[in-house]
């Protein structure tokens, strides 16, 4: 089993725009047979209601949406470039149709928090859902954004408090850390 260490999310030294838009992440929720992960590149990080938060966007047509609606939280897993093909696979296959995590060559790991992450991740964030809301097409100030929704499957935004941040030993310096393992 890979060794993860607790790190302070506020110490992250990597550009979050690169992290999300170019490196991508896997959003995961659920446990055991009810677990699923999906590749994502839309989201963000910040401070809201005096909490460090991550916010993600999931379309209601995705299998992960069903699972997120049943769970009280989600995890975000980030990977090195050597896992790009696994991220591609998870982004182009549905968990409804089989065991895509295993097919992508990834392994699940349940954390003390109860969240499931991917063992191969460089670092992961465990989040407790604080809020969710559907994007409202009537609220788009720039109507050209609607082109991203040809079947009008507007994303639901989830805001999650980051309750745990873990990194493998190789990635810990991204957080200025070299702390103890879990």
């Amino acid at each position: 089993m890979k060794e993860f260490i607790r790190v302070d999310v506020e110490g992250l030294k990597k550009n979050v725009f690169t992290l999300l838009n170019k490196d991508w992440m896997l959003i995961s929720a659920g446990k055991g047979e009810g677990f699923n992960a999906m590749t994502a590149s839309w989201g963000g990080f910040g401070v809201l209601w005096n909490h460090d938060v991550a916010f993600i966007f999931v379309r209601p047509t995705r299998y992960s949406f069903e699972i997120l609606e049943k769970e009280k939280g989600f995890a975000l897993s980030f990977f090195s470039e050597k896992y790009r093909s696994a991220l591609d696979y998870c982004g182009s296959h549905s968990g409804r149709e089989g065991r895509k995590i295993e097919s992508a060559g990834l392994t699940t790991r349940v954390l003390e928090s109860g969240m499931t992450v991917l063992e191969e991740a460089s670092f992961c964030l465990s989040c407790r859902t604080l809020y969710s809301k559907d994007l409202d097409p009537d609220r788009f100030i720039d109507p050209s954004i609607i082109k991203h929704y040809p079947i009008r499957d507007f994303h639901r935004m989830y805001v999650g408090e980051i309750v745990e941040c873990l990194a493998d030993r190789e990635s810990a310096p991204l957080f200025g850390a070299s702390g103890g393992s879990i």
Side-chain angles (χ1 to χ4, degrees):
M1 183 178 285
K2 181 186 221 172
E3 184 179 24
F4 282 111
I5 60 172
R6 283 187 173 78
V7 292
D8 183 357
V9 71
E10 291 182 17
L12 180 62
K13 294 174 178 28
K14 185 154 184 170
N15 182 305
V16 295
F17 293 97
T18 300
L19 201 71
L20 294 169
N21 192 41
K22 298 208 178 356
D23 295 349
W24 306 343
M25 65 182 162
L26 285 182
I27 299 170
S28 61
K31 296 168 195 66
E33 292 299 314
F35 172 82
N36 194 55
M38 62 174 268
T39 303
S41 64
W42 290 5
F45 304 102
V47 177
L48 184 62
W49 306 307
N50 299 318
H51 296 289
D52 292 332
V53 297
F55 51 95
I56 58 171
F57 299 86
V58 179
R59 292 178 193 264
T61 51
R62 299 295 298 260
Y63 180 50
S64 291
F65 181 89
E66 295 173 28
I67 297 169
L68 282 162
E69 286 300 294
K70 295 176 192 171
E71 296 294 324
K72 292 183 168 101
F74 56 89
L76 306 177
S77 297
F78 298 87
F79 299 81
S80 68
E81 187 60 32
K82 80 179 194 179
Y83 291 100
R84 177 63 67 178
S85 63
L87 290 167
D88 283 336
Y89 187 89
C90 289
S92 60
H93 292 79
S94 173
R96 283 188 189 108
E97 299 162 4
R99 302 178 66 80
K100 79 174 182 179
I101 299 305
E102 291 85 355
S103 297
L106 300 173
T107 313
T108 59
R109 177 175 178 178
V110 179
L111 302 175
E112 289 175 19
S113 66
M115 293 293 151
T116 303
V117 297
L118 288 301
E119 183 77 21
E120 295 79 9
S122 298
F123 72 94
C124 49
L125 306 174
S126 179
C127 302
R128 178 177 65 97
T129 304
L130 299 174
Y131 179 81
S132 67
K133 174 75 173 154
D134 293 336
L135 296 185
D136 179 353
D138 294 333
R139 302 293 300 169
F140 287 118
I141 306 304
D142 178 352
S144 72
I145 293 171
I146 300 292
K147 70 182 175 203
H148 294 284
Y149 301 96
I151 63 170
R152 300 189 62 78
D153 58 338
F154 298 99
H155 287 90
R156 179 164 294 167
M157 177 185 65
Y158 295 87
V159 177
E161 175 189 10
I162 300 169
V163 295
E164 188 172 34
C165 181
L166 302 171
D168 64 16
R169 289 227 175 259
E170 195 174 297
S171 301
L174 287 175
F175 297 87
S178 60
S181 63
I182 63 160

